[in-house]
Amino acid sequence: MITNKLQQARVQLQQRSLKKSGKNQYYDYFELADFIPAVNEIFAELQIHSVFNITKEKAILRIVDTEDNSEELFECPFVYAELRQCTKVQALGATITYLKRYLYMNALEIVESDFLDAKTNDD
């Protein structure tokens, strides 16, 4: 059953020493390359499969148990990344990357410190 396998995947992923390779001027963050290889290994071991897809309205991550075909869906609204000094195709690529990363982080409960809360709680 997918819910049991998904929980096992979360625990196994938490036991790995994932390192954040993404950096900007404010904080470090996980890039897809920081966790997708481990996720793929864990999913293969547990016999589950993931499919990422986007429509004009939303992004969807579907995680399927390949033994019994049960599945879990994770969705978020499609929001186009607004980036300065890049082409439309580059902005689309960034949008896809952001949506995919956030959906995997949600599905696998990958946590990062909340920069916005830390920044706005100055009092």
Side-chain angles (χ1 to χ4, degrees):
M1 177 165 240
I2 190 60
T3 54
N4 294 334
K5 289 184 178 185
L6 185 55
Q7 187 59 33
Q8 288 176 36
R10 290 170 177 161
V11 170
Q12 287 183 30
L13 190 62
Q14 289 171 358
Q15 293 171 343
R16 305 239 181 153
S17 296
L18 298 178
K19 304 282 188 231
K20 297 177 182 180
S21 65
K23 297 182 185 318
N24 67 25
Q25 64 186 11
Y26 302 110
Y27 57 92
D28 297 343
Y29 58 92
F30 286 112
E31 292 187 353
L32 285 170
D34 298 332
F35 59 84
I36 288 294
V39 168
N40 287 336
E41 289 174 9
I42 293 166
F43 279 17
E45 177 187 324
L46 297 173
Q47 297 183 335
I48 55 181
H49 173 72
S50 60
V51 178
F52 172 78
N53 201 353
I54 55 174
T55 69
K56 290 180 182 179
E57 294 82 31
K58 61 186 170 182
I60 305 157
L61 179 64
R62 184 170 61 111
I63 301 177
V64 181
D65 183 328
T66 60
E67 293 182 295
D68 69 7
N69 288 324
S70 58
E71 63 181 47
E72 191 76 32
L73 291 178
F74 296 88
E75 300 178 359
C76 68
F78 180 89
V79 178
Y80 201 74
E82 296 178 18
L83 304 172
R84 289 184 251 164
Q85 300 180 349
C86 68
T87 67
K88 289 181 181 182
V89 173
Q90 290 170 319
L92 178 60
T95 298
I96 292 167
T97 298
Y98 286 132
L99 292 170
K100 186 173 188 176
R101 180 166 52 104
Y102 291 132
L103 283 173
Y104 271 99
M105 290 180 69
N106 183 37
L108 294 164
E109 297 183 347
I110 300 169
V111 294
E112 292 190 302
S113 57
D114 194 334
F115 172 75
L116 185 60
D117 284 349
K119 182 98 172 124
T120 59
N121 199 5
D122 291 338
D123 55 286

